[in-house]
Amino acid sequence: MKFHTEYLTMNVPQRFQIVHITENVNSALKKSGIREGMVLVSAMHITAGVFINDLEPGIMEDIEEMLEHLAPYGPNYRHHRTGEDNGDAHLKNILVGHQVIIPITAGALDLGPWQQVFYAEFDGRRKKRVVIKVMGE
Amino acid sequence: MKFHTEYLTMNVPQRFQIVHITENVNSALKKSGIREGMVLVSAMHITAGVFINDLEPGIMEDIEEMLEHLAPYGPNYRHHRTGEDNGDAHLKNILVGHQVIIPITAGALDLGPWQQVFYAEFDGRRKKRVVIKVMGE
Amino acid sequence: MKFHTEYLTMNVPQRFQIVHITENVNSALKKSGIREGMVLVSAMHITAGVFINDLEPGIMEDIEEMLEHLAPYGPNYRHHRTGEDNGDAHLKNILVGHQVIIPITAGALDLGPWQQVFYAEFDGRRKKRVVIKVMGE
């Protein structure tokens, strides 16, 4: 069994931003030399997410609007008693999820025709990391 | 390490429908001959989901009602500027998630007594695929 | 490839409660002797969740408040026609998700500095199980 582990450093200047990272995942897969297995793509922070959807700007805005509606920035979350102001970002992480697993078949990401991988920053303006771990043979 | 990959073709006539697929996952496991490992069940589309819950029709209706409330069909999503009308389906995919990993122990799906696997179609009336990848020994 | 499987028994006296289980996952990892791979942590019930976030009590209360807002306890869910009263717990399971996969690198959980693993009980007062499966080399 072979393993290849990489870390992306994200440095998003906005509070909320969705970043397309399929090429980073593909690059890690190529370096791994793995032909069958899977790749785990996982945000290493509790105020960020990782998800798969379509590379279409309107969808990204629709996702932001929905998340702002379900877990709005600003209100007086209990988490803010610690001095933080990012309670909404923790809740967005819960709703979106922080990781995906992509199957690898015949040396390629076994994704559908429109599936792309995204990092979702919910509390930017600081460095964060994403782990990409390729596992298989 | 052994791998077995199958693709289900879903062809749901309704826009929204939940389909029970535990038997398809079990069938792939049997064909794989794998005794220890895991199986990844992942929708290959960005307007569908995969989840685990109870095989009880009332729950399926409750899930649909909640998702219609959180990401309703119809409103003028920004995604619709592309000519599509399925912005809600992309958001439902984000909320439900598109994949599950099921542990395999002693040659069987290591699920709890009521856990069943479901495909959730959010924008049917077209063919879609689900990848089932069994990995282990 | 090596495998190590453990089952936690949860016995939460409240209906809703979030329980910190990172140490249980670490303990399973140590027993496995696995240095590279991943660990799957998955609730074996359809009225519970597993997620990763920060070990901060305010966040746990914020998560509860959000989930009570999105899928409130009490209303007459269709699932209640079966005699159950936990329709909300099934919906909370859908929103939070029931599993996480944690990468293992150099013999340790490859988590970010604030990432901790939690079990979320949505319908307690009965015994439930969580499967922890460590896989790798």
Side-chain angles (χ1 to χ4, degrees), chain A residues 48-119:
Chain A
V50 169
F51 67 89
I52 285 180
N53 212 290
D54 191 4
L55 182 56
E56 197 282 294
I59 292 173
M60 301 302 129
E61 294 176 57
D62 290 331
I63 291 172
E64 179 170 3
E65 184 170 304
M66 177 182 72
L67 292 176
E68 245 7 279
H69 181 66
L70 301 182
Y73 173 71
N76 202 20
Y77 292 103
R78 291 183 184 83
H79 179 48
H80 296 179
R81 295 179 306 209
T82 65
E84 295 279 359
D85 72 343
N86 61 3
D88 69 301
H90 290 271
L91 297 181
K92 286 164 175 144
N93 161 286
I94 295 291
L95 291 174
V96 170
H98 74 289
Q99 62 185 196
V100 297
I101 299 261
I102 304 162
I104 301 163
T105 305
L109 299 179
D110 201 349
L111 291 170
W114 300 280
Q115 287 186 308
Q116 304 284 340
V117 190
F118 297 93
Y119 171 78

Side-chain angles (χ1 to χ4, degrees), chain C residues 14-65:
Chain C
Q14 298 85 7
R15 192 174 55 80
F16 186 108
Q17 183 74 35
I18 292 171
V19 184
H20 180 217
I21 60 170
T22 310
E23 280 318 303
N24 303 88
V25 181
N26 254 316
S27 160
L29 172 58
K30 294 307 173 224
K31 280 186 248 175
S32 76
I34 287 171
R35 305 274 309 159
E36 287 289 324
M38 76 198 124
V39 53
L40 171 63
V41 184
S42 192
M44 299 181 78
H45 292 260
I46 65 262
T47 53
V50 169
F51 67 89
I52 286 179
N53 212 289
D54 191 4
L55 182 55
E56 197 282 294
I59 293 173
M60 302 303 128
E61 294 176 57
D62 290 332
I63 291 172
E64 180 170 2
E65 184 170 304

Side-chain angles (χ1 to χ4, degrees), chain B residues 8-82:
Chain B
L8 301 184
T9 299
M10 314 301 295
N11 205 346
V12 173
Q14 297 85 8
R15 192 175 55 79
F16 186 107
Q17 183 74 35
I18 293 172
V19 184
H20 180 217
I21 59 171
T22 309
E23 280 318 303
N24 303 88
V25 181
N26 254 317
S27 161
L29 172 58
K30 294 306 172 227
K31 281 186 249 176
S32 77
I34 286 170
R35 305 274 310 161
E36 287 290 324
M38 75 197 126
V39 53
L40 172 62
V41 184
S42 193
M44 299 182 78
H45 292 261
I46 65 263
T47 54
V50 169
F51 67 89
I52 285 179
N53 212 288
D54 191 3
L55 181 56
E56 197 283 294
I59 292 172
M60 301 303 128
E61 295 176 56
D62 291 331
I63 291 171
E64 180 170 3
E65 184 171 303
M66 177 183 70
L67 292 175
E68 246 4 281
H69 181 65
L70 300 182
Y73 173 72
N76 203 19
Y77 292 103
R78 291 182 184 84
H79 179 48
H80 296 179
R81 296 179 305 210
T82 63

Side-chain angles (χ1 to χ4, degrees), chain C residues 65-104:
Chain C
E65 184 170 304
M66 177 182 71
L67 292 175
E68 244 8 278
H69 181 64
L70 300 183
Y73 173 72
N76 203 21
Y77 292 102
R78 291 183 186 83
H79 179 48
H80 296 179
R81 295 179 304 209
T82 64
E84 295 278 359
D85 72 343
N86 61 3
D88 69 301
H90 289 271
L91 298 180
K92 286 164 176 145
N93 162 285
I94 296 291
L95 292 173
V96 169
H98 74 290
Q99 62 185 196
V100 297
I101 298 262
I102 305 161
I104 301 163

